[in-house]
């Protein structure tokens, strides 16, 4: 994926772009539908996301994460922007962080490509009640309070399950260090 | 920047999943502009988002979707985003983290319109969209001033931008964030040397414990 995005960034390569679309387009539509967008709007958001990928391809930095993580943040931010009327506040995307000198140096690129599979493995092993919370949050777009209401559990329990799930992912990533 | 108080991991997950309220998200964005540890944590939580996106069963797109996108790529109005040149500046010198600088139009903290809401307390409200549940504002509290003890109907995020305060949890200086949920009450006291300026997001009206606090609430509006 990084190779394809690189070709878009450097050569504005439409063949590479359409290959990215083939992989991400249908998943992005699924993502938008599950977050509650009606079909037409979901497709519209897919288009917006892919066009943003085209416009911002050169801003992607492989030392900060995988292409998939980056596409996720682009899609997430676009969807949020659409539902916020005056757009005063913008979530920070992977390409948008203020860099500090103490950030992980960029020679960790090889490790970055392994991060997704480590997180994938950690997520697969989560206890059901933790992975359910993550799914409701990331995919179903539910704030903590709505999750608590839906599952009929205290808000504090939602928070503690989120923390536990996060720590497991983090522990999975520490294997890299 | 040396940061001693960080975001709760559940706040990091909610921010990364895009489900944190807009006002709270704005404070998180400002904190992670200054705090490499929390920035890294958000990055990790975003990997989970990418993994979950990738594992979704693909949905069928309309036959014309790619053609429509391709046609738009040739459109002159689709501009390539300029590269960012200012990556070194995180606003730690001006005291305004970059996401906040955008919200206050590049002004300094002393240049915004401060509205006096009580003795030694000033607010500057920041706009959020209609659907947002939380309130977002800059607060300036005079040196040495004690705020009435209060808890919160929901989450409260406080990022110190200038000066410092102390409460039962500890000492909060520049860059520190207090990530409080509805179960925690506190009584912040500003350190005596200089006023304290914070960026504060509250999810629901703050609840004061004392009668004085409850009387002050409608006046202060927090």
């Amino acid at each position: 994926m990084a190779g394809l995005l690189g070709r878009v960034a450097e050569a504005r390569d439409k063949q590479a772009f359409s290959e990215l679309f083939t992989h991400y387009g249908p998943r992005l539509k699924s993502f938008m539908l599950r977050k509650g967008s009606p079909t037409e709007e979901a497709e519209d958001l897919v288009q917006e996301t892919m066009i943003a990928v085209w416009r911002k391809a050169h801003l992607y930095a492989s030392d900060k994460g995988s292409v998939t993580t980056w596409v996720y943040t682009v899609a997430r931010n676009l969807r949020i922007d659409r539902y916020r009327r005056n757009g005063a506040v913008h979530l920070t995307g992977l390409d948008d962080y203020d860099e500090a000198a103490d950030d992980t140096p960029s020679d960790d690129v090889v490790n970055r490509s392994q991060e997704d599979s480590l997180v994938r493995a950690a997520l697969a092993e989560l206890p059901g009640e933790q992975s359910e919370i993550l799914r409701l949050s990331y995919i179903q777009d539910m704030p903590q309070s709505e999750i608590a209401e839906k599952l009929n559990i205290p808000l504090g329990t939602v928070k503690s399950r989120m923390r536990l799930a996060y720590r497991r992912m983090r522990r999975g990533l520490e294997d890299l260090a | 920047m040396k940061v001693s108080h960080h975001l709760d991991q559940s706040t990091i997950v909610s921010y990364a999943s895009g489900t944190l309220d807009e006002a709270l998200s704005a404070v998180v964005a400002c904190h992670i502009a200054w705090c490499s540890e929390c920035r890294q944590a958000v990055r990790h939580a975003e990997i989970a988002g990418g993994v979950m996106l990738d594992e979704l069963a693909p949905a069928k797109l309309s036959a014309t979707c790619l053609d429509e996108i391709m046609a738009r790529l040739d459109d002159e109005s689709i501009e390539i985003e300029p590269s960012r040149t200012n990556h070194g500046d995180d606003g730690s010198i001006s005291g305004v983290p970059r996401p906040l600088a955008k919200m206050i139009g590049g002004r300094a903290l002393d240049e915004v319109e401060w509205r006096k809401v009580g003795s030694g307390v000033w607010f500057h409200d920041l706009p959020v969209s209609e659907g947002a549940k939380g309130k977002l504002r800059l607060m300036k509290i005079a040196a040495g001033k004690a705020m009435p003890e209060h808890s919160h109907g929901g989450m409260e995020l406080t990022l110190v931008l200038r000066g410092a305060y102390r409460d039962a949890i500890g000492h909060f200086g520049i860059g520190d964030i207090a990530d409080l949920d509805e179960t925690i009450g506190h009584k912040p006291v500003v350190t005596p040397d200089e006023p304290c300026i914070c960026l504060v997001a509250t999810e629901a009206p703050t609840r004061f414990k004392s009668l004085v606090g409850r009387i002050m609430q409608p006046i202060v509006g927090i």
Side-chain angles (χ1 to χ4, degrees):
Chain A
M1 290 300 161
L4 293 173
L5 193 62
R7 277 159 57 196
V8 173
E10 283 153 32
R12 297 284 135 203
D13 183 333
K14 286 189 178 166
Q15 178 56 38
F17 179 78
S18 76
E19 285 177 44
L20 288 170
F21 174 84
T22 304
H23 181 79
Y24 289 114
R27 287 171 175 81
L28 286 168
K29 181 162 179 188
S30 191
F31 183 66
M32 297 303 179
L33 287 172
R34 279 165 213 244
K35 281 182 173 288
S37 297
T39 307
E40 202 170 307
E41 193 175 280
E43 194 134 328
D44 194 39
L45 282 161
V46 173
Q47 289 206 8
E48 294 302 324
T49 304
M50 291 310 298
I51 283 167
V53 165
W54 175 264
R55 290 175 54 231
K56 292 167 183 262
H58 59 293
L59 298 176
Y60 165 71
S62 59
D63 58 327
K64 306 237 179 51
S66 70
V67 172
T68 301
T69 306
W70 183 70
V71 170
Y72 163 75
T73 61
V74 170
R76 174 198 65 188
N77 293 358
L78 267 171
R79 187 168 190 282
I80 288 171
D81 277 354
R82 173 160 302 202
Y83 295 105
R84 287 179 185 170
R85 286 276 167 84
N86 66 19
V89 180
H90 210 296
L91 271 137
T92 310
L94 268 184
D95 56 322
D96 204 28
Y97 288 135
D98 294 303
E99 288 307 310
D102 56 355
D103 269 280
T104 321
S106 52
D107 50 290
D108 277 354
V109 176
V110 185
N111 286 352
R112 293 281 175 260
S113 63
Q114 298 166 22
E115 284 181 336
D116 285 21
S117 47
L118 289 170
V119 168
R120 182 174 288 119
L123 291 179
E125 283 174 22
L126 284 181
E129 56 181 31
Q130 287 171 32
S131 58
E132 179 178 40
I133 302 268
L134 291 192
R135 187 179 51 77
L136 293 173
S137 177
Y138 283 89
I139 304 298
Q140 307 276 71
D141 216 32
M142 295 175 88
Q144 293 173 4
S145 53
E146 271 180 42
I147 296 175
E149 210 169 299
K150 181 185 166 66
L151 300 180
N152 200 20
I153 53 176
L155 184 59
T157 308
V158 174
K159 287 177 191 277
S160 63
R161 287 181 190 172
M162 274 186 175
R163 288 183 201 117
L164 289 169
Y166 172 79
R167 282 175 208 154
R168 287 203 179 214
M169 288 192 291
R170 187 119 186 180
R171 233 176 288 139
L173 286 167
E174 275 162 9
D175 293 346
L176 266 185
Chain B
M1 181 173 299
K2 176 84 189 78
V3 175
S4 312
H5 296 279
H6 298 277
L7 289 160
D8 188 287
Q9 287 160 341
S10 62
T11 307
I12 290 196
V13 168
S14 296
Y15 177 77
S17 74
T19 57
L20 197 63
D21 182 73
E22 178 179 337
L24 298 164
S25 291
V27 183
V28 171
C30 289
H31 175 70
I32 65 174
W34 280 355
C35 176
S36 59
E37 195 175 318
C38 289
R39 183 162 61 236
Q40 181 81 340
V42 167
R43 207 182 64 73
H44 288 155
E46 285 170 343
I47 297 173
V51 166
M52 283 187 255
L53 166 67
D54 223 39
E55 284 178 346
L56 287 177
K60 199 169 161 40
L61 288 158
S62 68
T64 55
C65 188
L66 180 59
D67 291 343
E68 284 170 28
I69 295 173
M70 285 300 192
R72 285 180 64 189
L73 297 188
D74 293 327
D75 189 332
E76 282 173 31
S77 64
I78 301 287
E79 283 176 24
I80 304 306
E81 194 128 322
S83 295
R84 291 184 179 80
T85 49
N86 204 13
H87 257 335
D89 176 24
D90 62 3
S92 52
I93 295 161
S94 62
V96 183
R98 204 155 67 178
L100 176 61
K102 283 184 200 166
M103 285 182 258
I104 58 175
R107 286 176 294 175
L109 292 176
D110 296 313
E111 290 168 354
V112 303
E113 305 85 28
W114 288 104
R115 172 170 62 93
K116 188 164 184 170
V117 291
S119 159
V121 182
W122 296 264
F123 285 173
H124 175 77
D125 291 334
L126 294 164
V128 285
S129 40
E130 276 171 35
K133 277 191 274 174
K135 275 188 179 164
L136 182 66
R137 60 168 51 115
L138 288 162
M139 287 177 72
K140 181 162 73 174
I141 316 287
K145 168 123 185 125
M147 294 293 282
E149 182 170 7
H150 63 280
S151 60
H152 316 91
M155 273 177 72
E156 180 187 84
L157 287 178
T158 304
L159 173 68
V160 179
L161 302 172
R162 186 190 293 175
Y165 73 84
R166 175 171 281 287
D167 64 13
I169 302 164
H171 177 273
F172 289 78
I174 295 173
D176 284 333
I177 193 152
D179 186 345
L180 304 177
D181 67 20
E182 71 287 351
T183 62
I184 304 171
H186 73 153
K187 186 184 176 187
V189 181
V190 174
T191 53
D193 40 323
E194 62 171 328
C196 183
I197 298 181
C198 297
L199 178 64
V200 185
T202 43
E203 208 176 19
T206 303
R207 286 191 297 242
F208 285 101
K209 268 191 159 172
S210 71
L211 183 60
V212 176
R214 285 203 297 275
I215 292 168
M216 236 180 103
Q217 180 157 25
I219 306 164
V220 185
I222 57 177

